[in-house]
Amino acid sequence: MKISYNWLKQLIDIQESPEEVGKLLTATGLEVEGIEPVERVKGGLEGIVVGEVLTCEPFTVKEKTLHLTTVDIGAGEPSTIVCGASNVAAGQKVIVATVGATIYPSEGEPFTIAKRKVYGNPSEGMICAEDEIGIGHSHAGIMVLDTDLPNGTPAAQYFGVLPDYVIEIGLTPNRADAASHLGVARDLKAVWGRELTKPSVEIFDQQPITPLAEPLQVTVENNEACPRYAGVTISGLTVTESPDWLKEKLQAIGVRTINNVVDITNFICHELGQPLHAFDAAKILGNKVIVKTLPAGTPFVTLDGVERKLSDRDLMICNAEEPMCIGGVFGGTKSGVSERTTAIFLEAAYFSPGWIRKTSTFHGLKTDASFRFERGTDPNLPIYALKRAALLIQEVAGGQIASEIVDIYPNPIANQQVAVKYKNVDRLIGKALDRDLIKQILTNLDIAIQNETPEGFTASVAPYRVDVTREADIVEEILRIYGFDNIELSENLATDFLSGFPLVDPDKQKLRVANLLAANGFNETMTNSLTKPLYNDAVRSSLPGEDVIMLNPLSEDLLAMRQTMLFSGLETVSYNLNRRQRDLKICEFGKTYHKMPEGKYKEFSHLALFLAGNQQAESWLEKDQKLVFHNLAGMVHLVLNAMRVQNVEKQEIQDRTIFEYGLTYTVKKKPIVSFGQVKGKLTKVLDIKQPVFYADFDWAYLLKQYNDKVRFTEVPKYPEVRRDLSLVLDKAVSFEQIRQTAQKYERNLLTNINVFDVYEGANIGADKKSYSVSFTLQDVEQTLTDKVIDKTMQKLMMAFEKDLGAVIRK
């Protein structure tokens, strides 16, 4: 938000420099992000003064008449200046650019005045025309002034070109009260204790009313969205360009000028923080102003020429036949003020912040008005703002008041009553402040003290302070005006509460797993949680709830919250494949969002892995090898091992909505990860024509299974022994069943089981397969003997024959 230093000085007495004001505002919570000078005239007329021509002698050079003058510029000795203007004469008051001054002409490049000789005559400055110093375009001759200002007076003072500064404030959302010059001045008043100089509007009530032939009727049908609506009619005005003083003020803070009437409404918005809107009275059909909502889908063309479809929650300012303005947000093309306007209806209102925020977001419109209304304006300000604006419009556009002020305010908004105890003020500030000082600060902030007792009081807070609703807020107001820097730090810092640290730091574990995956060739992505509803529809049977639908979606493609990590990952895969990035390893930490059957909303954390393409980049050393399911399984095991997950049970995926085939790993009967190859019909949705492997971890449950109790054991002193078996089994028997059977019958010596070959063919019979399995045996206390080894292997073979129906091939 931009604040003009000179404009601010009209509301409160300021002797301090802009830099001092900036430091003070930052200390009170209005952080100043920058202070920039504003120049109405380039260079600010620095070094250019009012002078008086004392003597003027003409001389001719090459048939050209010049003048050798002496000019008093208030420097003691007169300056000798050669001037080529035909209208220069002794006794004139003129504008002089002194030696060393840089002048910026209206056309051409700037140049610096130097002491030099002109045709043998010394010249110590320049007597200027208006185009030569950039304040006009005339070059008919030098400027001859009609002034009694003393010689040497800065030209900036004569022309009223006072230096100004723009103070850029990073306004936080809670400080809507400070979104104007008046609001900033209120904070300075509270710190300095100086009075505000609000412009008087008393003369408004003394003016006669010249009513229109057909007066306007105003009706508010929706008091929830519009608690207060006020307006006044002004007739007989002339719409034209704004005067210089008005244009300078608006341009200084970056507001584009339009015409004198609209510029006054913008002026009031930035001066007082009360947005106004002016309607051409002749375009108000039926002489009725109606504040209401319209059916969803009603078309409306806004001032930017865009036709918008209204929602049934858009508050509209309408005439008897059609809408004229989106209330508190943006005007329409048909009812705006133009050069042909001679009468206006001037509107000032208090709109519900919630209604304006929804409308502004729904249409993607952010205006100066919506910025203030959606944060909360002052419901007690509209009448003063109307009177102030009407008087200024009469000043710049003429006209007369054509109606009484309409003020529809059925349910006035009362002050907020906040009970405050002194002991809590002292506790939260960390210092006992004088009670009179506390009351003085609050009084300067326009917070009234009521029901005072030795223990505390009730603070009556005006409704424009939307951020002050609790006792802690009152304490904050006291502290920011008193000054955070004025609170001494104690020698011993202490607290009455320390939160416990989590046993497992989620962020640290997330970073550790992310680094592990990155070290294995994965790229981490972050995708949008908003997605197309058709994606969720494609896997609806596997989802735990209904879609969470956005009320104000940015587009149809961003209408629903995702219920699965699958499609946002597939979009990333598709994007890369379409750009010839064929070999992909992608991981993402993200959330899914669900509306559960009982009506509650839930979100779940996930880690998703995606693999596609070849195992490694193309190389002359090795042939291309496509990524397969077991590459994904290896990555899944890598993550589980990194998190030290124990007692994992494996089972084939039962729900084939997402996967062609795959596995689900469970811990304590609850799934911790499902992984496999994505069904072809799902990849085709995104035009992916190659296999994609996908793993979906329940990240929150995985964190709970993290085992931080690491036990280290001594490396065994005794050697391990390997024995191999070839098992002919039914095709339905998995290696996992072999592993579980082996561990069931031998827990002490068996340290590892591995399958190193699988064979299927006519030689072993139909519906059969052969596993070549290695078994690693080791005793930590002694060297294994052949007798013990043979006994162990015999036990395992019997178990395989009994439990799995295996045929042992030697």
mmCIF file of all heavy atoms in Angstrom, residues 126-161:
data_model
loop_
_atom_site.group_PDB
_atom_site.id
_atom_site.type_symbol
_atom_site.label_atom_id
_atom_site.label_comp_id
_atom_site.label_asym_id
_atom_site.label_seq_id
_atom_site.Cartn_x
_atom_site.Cartn_y
_atom_site.Cartn_z
ATOM 1 N N MET A 126 21.285 30.649 -16.809
ATOM 2 C CA MET A 126 20.382 30.629 -17.966
ATOM 3 C C MET A 126 19.012 31.131 -17.527
ATOM 4 O O MET A 126 18.447 30.669 -16.525
ATOM 5 C CB MET A 126 20.275 29.196 -18.503
ATOM 6 C CG MET A 126 19.297 29.022 -19.646
ATOM 7 S SD MET A 126 19.304 27.288 -20.202
ATOM 8 C CE MET A 126 17.953 27.313 -21.384
ATOM 9 N N ILE A 127 18.516 32.148 -18.241
ATOM 10 C CA ILE A 127 17.148 32.616 -18.018
ATOM 11 C C ILE A 127 16.236 31.724 -18.858
ATOM 12 O O ILE A 127 16.441 31.570 -20.065
ATOM 13 C CB ILE A 127 16.993 34.092 -18.415
ATOM 14 C CG1 ILE A 127 18.006 34.957 -17.653
ATOM 15 C CG2 ILE A 127 15.567 34.578 -18.127
ATOM 16 C CD1 ILE A 127 18.003 36.420 -18.064
ATOM 17 N N CYS A 128 15.208 31.117 -18.233
ATOM 18 C CA CYS A 128 14.530 29.960 -18.833
ATOM 19 C C CYS A 128 13.131 30.256 -19.350
ATOM 20 O O CYS A 128 12.372 31.058 -18.764
ATOM 21 C CB CYS A 128 14.431 28.830 -17.811
ATOM 22 S SG CYS A 128 16.032 28.316 -17.155
ATOM 23 N N ALA A 129 12.808 29.546 -20.445
ATOM 24 C CA ALA A 129 11.425 29.422 -20.913
ATOM 25 C C ALA A 129 10.823 28.198 -20.233
ATOM 26 O O ALA A 129 11.526 27.355 -19.668
ATOM 27 C CB ALA A 129 11.395 29.274 -22.429
ATOM 28 N N GLU A 130 9.475 28.062 -20.321
ATOM 29 C CA GLU A 130 8.828 26.987 -19.566
ATOM 30 C C GLU A 130 9.185 25.598 -20.091
ATOM 31 O O GLU A 130 9.298 24.650 -19.325
ATOM 32 C CB GLU A 130 7.313 27.182 -19.534
ATOM 33 C CG GLU A 130 6.610 27.070 -20.871
ATOM 34 C CD GLU A 130 5.091 27.187 -20.740
ATOM 35 O OE1 GLU A 130 4.612 28.050 -19.965
ATOM 36 O OE2 GLU A 130 4.391 26.401 -21.396
ATOM 37 N N ASP A 131 9.392 25.457 -21.413
ATOM 38 C CA ASP A 131 9.731 24.129 -21.930
ATOM 39 C C ASP A 131 11.150 23.720 -21.577
ATOM 40 O O ASP A 131 11.495 22.540 -21.604
ATOM 41 C CB ASP A 131 9.523 24.079 -23.444
ATOM 42 C CG ASP A 131 10.511 24.944 -24.215
ATOM 43 O OD1 ASP A 131 10.912 26.000 -23.673
ATOM 44 O OD2 ASP A 131 10.876 24.557 -25.341
ATOM 45 N N GLU A 132 11.994 24.726 -21.260
ATOM 46 C CA GLU A 132 13.408 24.431 -20.963
ATOM 47 C C GLU A 132 13.592 23.814 -19.579
ATOM 48 O O GLU A 132 14.606 23.178 -19.306
ATOM 49 C CB GLU A 132 14.239 25.702 -21.096
ATOM 50 C CG GLU A 132 14.351 26.178 -22.532
ATOM 51 C CD GLU A 132 15.009 27.545 -22.657
ATOM 52 O OE1 GLU A 132 14.855 28.380 -21.729
ATOM 53 O OE2 GLU A 132 15.659 27.786 -23.690
ATOM 54 N N ILE A 133 12.586 23.983 -18.698
ATOM 55 C CA ILE A 133 12.690 23.372 -17.364
ATOM 56 C C ILE A 133 11.612 22.311 -17.138
ATOM 57 O O ILE A 133 11.445 21.811 -16.023
ATOM 58 C CB ILE A 133 12.623 24.444 -16.244
ATOM 59 C CG1 ILE A 133 11.320 25.244 -16.340
ATOM 60 C CG2 ILE A 133 13.840 25.342 -16.298
ATOM 61 C CD1 ILE A 133 11.130 26.218 -15.180
ATOM 62 N N GLY A 134 10.876 21.966 -18.215
ATOM 63 C CA GLY A 134 9.975 20.828 -18.158
ATOM 64 C C GLY A 134 8.640 21.067 -17.503
ATOM 65 O O GLY A 134 7.950 20.106 -17.144
ATOM 66 N N ILE A 135 8.202 22.332 -17.366
ATOM 67 C CA ILE A 135 6.894 22.563 -16.741
ATOM 68 C C ILE A 135 5.834 22.938 -17.770
ATOM 69 O O ILE A 135 4.694 23.231 -17.415
ATOM 70 C CB ILE A 135 6.963 23.649 -15.644
ATOM 71 C CG1 ILE A 135 7.311 25.006 -16.280
ATOM 72 C CG2 ILE A 135 7.953 23.269 -14.568
ATOM 73 C CD1 ILE A 135 7.125 26.154 -15.311
ATOM 74 N N GLY A 136 6.200 22.967 -19.050
ATOM 75 C CA GLY A 136 5.258 23.274 -20.121
ATOM 76 C C GLY A 136 5.921 23.004 -21.453
ATOM 77 O O GLY A 136 7.005 22.417 -21.536
ATOM 78 N N HIS A 137 5.257 23.459 -22.533
ATOM 79 C CA HIS A 137 5.779 23.194 -23.875
ATOM 80 C C HIS A 137 5.989 24.475 -24.681
ATOM 81 O O HIS A 137 6.404 24.420 -25.836
ATOM 82 C CB HIS A 137 4.820 22.268 -24.624
ATOM 83 C CG HIS A 137 4.713 20.910 -23.993
ATOM 84 N ND1 HIS A 137 5.631 19.907 -24.198
ATOM 85 C CD2 HIS A 137 3.797 20.406 -23.124
ATOM 86 C CE1 HIS A 137 5.286 18.833 -23.517
ATOM 87 N NE2 HIS A 137 4.167 19.112 -22.847
ATOM 88 N N SER A 138 5.708 25.621 -24.093
ATOM 89 C CA SER A 138 5.853 26.886 -24.822
ATOM 90 C C SER A 138 7.316 27.297 -24.896
ATOM 91 O O SER A 138 8.061 27.214 -23.914
ATOM 92 C CB SER A 138 5.045 27.987 -24.139
ATOM 93 O OG SER A 138 5.302 29.233 -24.761
ATOM 94 N N HIS A 139 7.725 27.787 -26.103
ATOM 95 C CA HIS A 139 9.074 28.318 -26.282
ATOM 96 C C HIS A 139 8.990 29.696 -26.927
ATOM 97 O O HIS A 139 9.862 30.114 -27.692
ATOM 98 C CB HIS A 139 9.916 27.365 -27.143
ATOM 99 C CG HIS A 139 11.391 27.648 -27.063
ATOM 100 N ND1 HIS A 139 12.140 27.430 -25.929
ATOM 101 C CD2 HIS A 139 12.251 28.159 -27.992
ATOM 102 C CE1 HIS A 139 13.398 27.777 -26.151
ATOM 103 N NE2 HIS A 139 13.500 28.233 -27.401
ATOM 104 N N ALA A 140 7.879 30.416 -26.616
ATOM 105 C CA ALA A 140 7.681 31.735 -27.214
ATOM 106 C C ALA A 140 8.634 32.772 -26.638
ATOM 107 O O ALA A 140 8.833 33.834 -27.216
ATOM 108 C CB ALA A 140 6.234 32.182 -27.008
ATOM 109 N N GLY A 141 9.204 32.484 -25.515
ATOM 110 C CA GLY A 141 10.121 33.406 -24.852
ATOM 111 C C GLY A 141 10.329 32.990 -23.426
ATOM 112 O O GLY A 141 9.758 31.999 -22.953
ATOM 113 N N ILE A 142 11.160 33.776 -22.693
ATOM 114 C CA ILE A 142 11.389 33.452 -21.293
ATOM 115 C C ILE A 142 10.123 33.708 -20.500
ATOM 116 O O ILE A 142 9.238 34.462 -20.910
ATOM 117 C CB ILE A 142 12.567 34.276 -20.726
ATOM 118 C CG1 ILE A 142 12.219 35.778 -20.781
ATOM 119 C CG2 ILE A 142 13.863 33.947 -21.444
ATOM 120 C CD1 ILE A 142 13.196 36.650 -20.024
ATOM 121 N N MET A 143 10.016 33.049 -19.347
ATOM 122 C CA MET A 143 8.876 33.275 -18.458
ATOM 123 C C MET A 143 9.083 34.576 -17.692
ATOM 124 O O MET A 143 10.148 34.784 -17.081
ATOM 125 C CB MET A 143 8.741 32.114 -17.465
ATOM 126 C CG MET A 143 8.219 30.849 -18.075
ATOM 127 S SD MET A 143 8.077 29.516 -16.855
ATOM 128 C CE MET A 143 9.804 29.114 -16.646
ATOM 129 N N VAL A 144 8.091 35.441 -17.740
ATOM 130 C CA VAL A 144 8.107 36.684 -16.983
ATOM 131 C C VAL A 144 7.099 36.535 -15.860
ATOM 132 O O VAL A 144 5.906 36.310 -16.103
ATOM 133 C CB VAL A 144 7.772 37.890 -17.873
ATOM 134 C CG1 VAL A 144 7.776 39.165 -17.040
ATOM 135 C CG2 VAL A 144 8.751 37.989 -19.030
ATOM 136 N N LEU A 145 7.578 36.648 -14.627
ATOM 137 C CA LEU A 145 6.754 36.327 -13.469
ATOM 138 C C LEU A 145 6.087 37.575 -12.902
ATOM 139 O O LEU A 145 6.651 38.682 -12.950
ATOM 140 C CB LEU A 145 7.605 35.662 -12.381
ATOM 141 C CG LEU A 145 8.514 34.501 -12.817
ATOM 142 C CD1 LEU A 145 9.264 33.952 -11.618
ATOM 143 C CD2 LEU A 145 7.694 33.413 -13.495
ATOM 144 N N ASP A 146 4.939 37.378 -12.311
ATOM 145 C CA ASP A 146 4.248 38.437 -11.571
ATOM 146 C C ASP A 146 4.244 37.995 -10.120
ATOM 147 O O ASP A 146 3.322 37.326 -9.652
ATOM 148 C CB ASP A 146 2.835 38.619 -12.105
ATOM 149 C CG ASP A 146 2.084 39.749 -11.377
ATOM 150 O OD1 ASP A 146 2.744 40.507 -10.649
ATOM 151 O OD2 ASP A 146 0.849 39.817 -11.525
ATOM 152 N N THR A 147 5.303 38.350 -9.409
ATOM 153 C CA THR A 147 5.457 37.872 -8.037
ATOM 154 C C THR A 147 6.274 38.851 -7.214
ATOM 155 O O THR A 147 7.100 39.605 -7.760
ATOM 156 C CB THR A 147 6.143 36.498 -8.026
ATOM 157 O OG1 THR A 147 6.280 36.064 -6.672
ATOM 158 C CG2 THR A 147 7.513 36.550 -8.664
ATOM 159 N N ASP A 148 6.013 38.833 -5.911
ATOM 160 C CA ASP A 148 6.801 39.633 -4.974
ATOM 161 C C ASP A 148 7.781 38.764 -4.186
ATOM 162 O O ASP A 148 8.380 39.240 -3.206
ATOM 163 C CB ASP A 148 5.867 40.355 -3.989
ATOM 164 C CG ASP A 148 4.991 41.392 -4.693
ATOM 165 O OD1 ASP A 148 5.477 41.989 -5.675
ATOM 166 O OD2 ASP A 148 3.830 41.591 -4.266
ATOM 167 N N LEU A 149 7.929 37.527 -4.581
ATOM 168 C CA LEU A 149 8.862 36.651 -3.874
ATOM 169 C C LEU A 149 10.271 37.208 -3.961
ATOM 170 O O LEU A 149 10.677 37.743 -5.007
ATOM 171 C CB LEU A 149 8.824 35.245 -4.474
ATOM 172 C CG LEU A 149 7.571 34.404 -4.190
ATOM 173 C CD1 LEU A 149 7.607 33.104 -4.994
ATOM 174 C CD2 LEU A 149 7.450 34.095 -2.699
ATOM 175 N N PRO A 150 11.040 37.096 -2.882
ATOM 176 C CA PRO A 150 12.411 37.622 -2.921
ATOM 177 C C PRO A 150 13.275 36.875 -3.928
ATOM 178 O O PRO A 150 13.044 35.697 -4.201
ATOM 179 C CB PRO A 150 12.904 37.431 -1.488
ATOM 180 C CG PRO A 150 11.971 36.466 -0.855
ATOM 181 C CD PRO A 150 10.679 36.536 -1.584
ATOM 182 N N ASN A 151 14.256 37.587 -4.455
ATOM 183 C CA ASN A 151 15.178 36.961 -5.400
ATOM 184 C C ASN A 151 15.938 35.829 -4.717
ATOM 185 O O ASN A 151 16.334 35.950 -3.555
ATOM 186 C CB ASN A 151 16.170 37.998 -5.936
ATOM 187 C CG ASN A 151 15.460 39.117 -6.676
ATOM 188 O OD1 ASN A 151 14.396 38.897 -7.269
ATOM 189 N ND2 ASN A 151 16.018 40.325 -6.636
ATOM 190 N N GLY A 152 16.119 34.749 -5.440
ATOM 191 C CA GLY A 152 16.785 33.564 -4.874
ATOM 192 C C GLY A 152 15.815 32.536 -4.340
ATOM 193 O O GLY A 152 16.220 31.435 -3.927
ATOM 194 N N THR A 153 14.498 32.876 -4.342
ATOM 195 C CA THR A 153 13.498 31.903 -3.891
ATOM 196 C C THR A 153 13.512 30.696 -4.832
ATOM 197 O O THR A 153 13.502 30.870 -6.058
ATOM 198 C CB THR A 153 12.096 32.526 -3.895
ATOM 199 O OG1 THR A 153 12.076 33.643 -3.007
ATOM 200 C CG2 THR A 153 11.044 31.507 -3.468
ATOM 201 N N PRO A 154 13.546 29.484 -4.300
ATOM 202 C CA PRO A 154 13.539 28.302 -5.190
ATOM 203 C C PRO A 154 12.319 28.307 -6.107
ATOM 204 O O PRO A 154 11.199 28.621 -5.689
ATOM 205 C CB PRO A 154 13.484 27.129 -4.213
ATOM 206 C CG PRO A 154 14.080 27.657 -2.950
ATOM 207 C CD PRO A 154 13.651 29.100 -2.879
ATOM 208 N N ALA A 155 12.554 27.967 -7.360
ATOM 209 C CA ALA A 155 11.459 27.927 -8.331
ATOM 210 C C ALA A 155 10.407 26.900 -7.919
ATOM 211 O O ALA A 155 9.218 27.068 -8.227
ATOM 212 C CB ALA A 155 12.013 27.595 -9.718
ATOM 213 N N ALA A 156 10.829 25.819 -7.237
ATOM 214 C CA ALA A 156 9.874 24.804 -6.788
ATOM 215 C C ALA A 156 8.842 25.412 -5.861
ATOM 216 O O ALA A 156 7.664 25.027 -5.882
ATOM 217 C CB ALA A 156 10.611 23.666 -6.086
ATOM 218 N N GLN A 157 9.265 26.377 -5.043
ATOM 219 C CA GLN A 157 8.316 27.045 -4.145
ATOM 220 C C GLN A 157 7.359 27.920 -4.940
ATOM 221 O O GLN A 157 6.164 27.955 -4.658
ATOM 222 C CB GLN A 157 9.089 27.880 -3.116
ATOM 223 C CG GLN A 157 8.192 28.630 -2.137
ATOM 224 C CD GLN A 157 8.995 29.421 -1.107
ATOM 225 O OE1 GLN A 157 10.154 29.094 -0.827
ATOM 226 N NE2 GLN A 157 8.382 30.457 -0.562
ATOM 227 N N TYR A 158 7.875 28.626 -5.940
ATOM 228 C CA TYR A 158 7.020 29.502 -6.758
ATOM 229 C C TYR A 158 5.969 28.681 -7.501
ATOM 230 O O TYR A 158 4.791 29.056 -7.545
ATOM 231 C CB TYR A 158 7.867 30.296 -7.750
ATOM 232 C CG TYR A 158 7.037 31.079 -8.744
ATOM 233 C CD1 TYR A 158 6.430 32.280 -8.390
ATOM 234 C CD2 TYR A 158 6.830 30.586 -10.034
ATOM 235 C CE1 TYR A 158 5.640 32.979 -9.296
ATOM 236 C CE2 TYR A 158 6.043 31.278 -10.948
ATOM 237 C CZ TYR A 158 5.450 32.477 -10.571
ATOM 238 O OH TYR A 158 4.655 33.167 -11.467
ATOM 239 N N PHE A 159 6.366 27.559 -8.098
ATOM 240 C CA PHE A 159 5.436 26.750 -8.878
ATOM 241 C C PHE A 159 4.627 25.769 -8.018
ATOM 242 O O PHE A 159 3.751 25.070 -8.524
ATOM 243 C CB PHE A 159 6.186 25.947 -9.941
ATOM 244 C CG PHE A 159 6.755 26.790 -11.048
ATOM 245 C CD1 PHE A 159 8.118 26.976 -11.173
ATOM 246 C CD2 PHE A 159 5.915 27.418 -11.957
ATOM 247 C CE1 PHE A 159 8.637 27.761 -12.192
ATOM 248 C CE2 PHE A 159 6.429 28.201 -12.979
ATOM 249 C CZ PHE A 159 7.797 28.383 -13.095
ATOM 250 N N GLY A 160 4.913 25.749 -6.736
ATOM 251 C CA GLY A 160 4.199 24.812 -5.856
ATOM 252 C C GLY A 160 4.614 23.366 -6.071
ATOM 253 O O GLY A 160 3.842 22.448 -5.766
ATOM 254 N N VAL A 161 5.807 23.173 -6.585
ATOM 255 C CA VAL A 161 6.301 21.813 -6.814
ATOM 256 C C VAL A 161 7.053 21.375 -5.552
ATOM 257 O O VAL A 161 8.275 21.418 -5.467
ATOM 258 C CB VAL A 161 7.225 21.747 -8.052
ATOM 259 C CG1 VAL A 161 7.662 20.315 -8.309
ATOM 260 C CG2 VAL A 161 6.527 22.312 -9.270
#
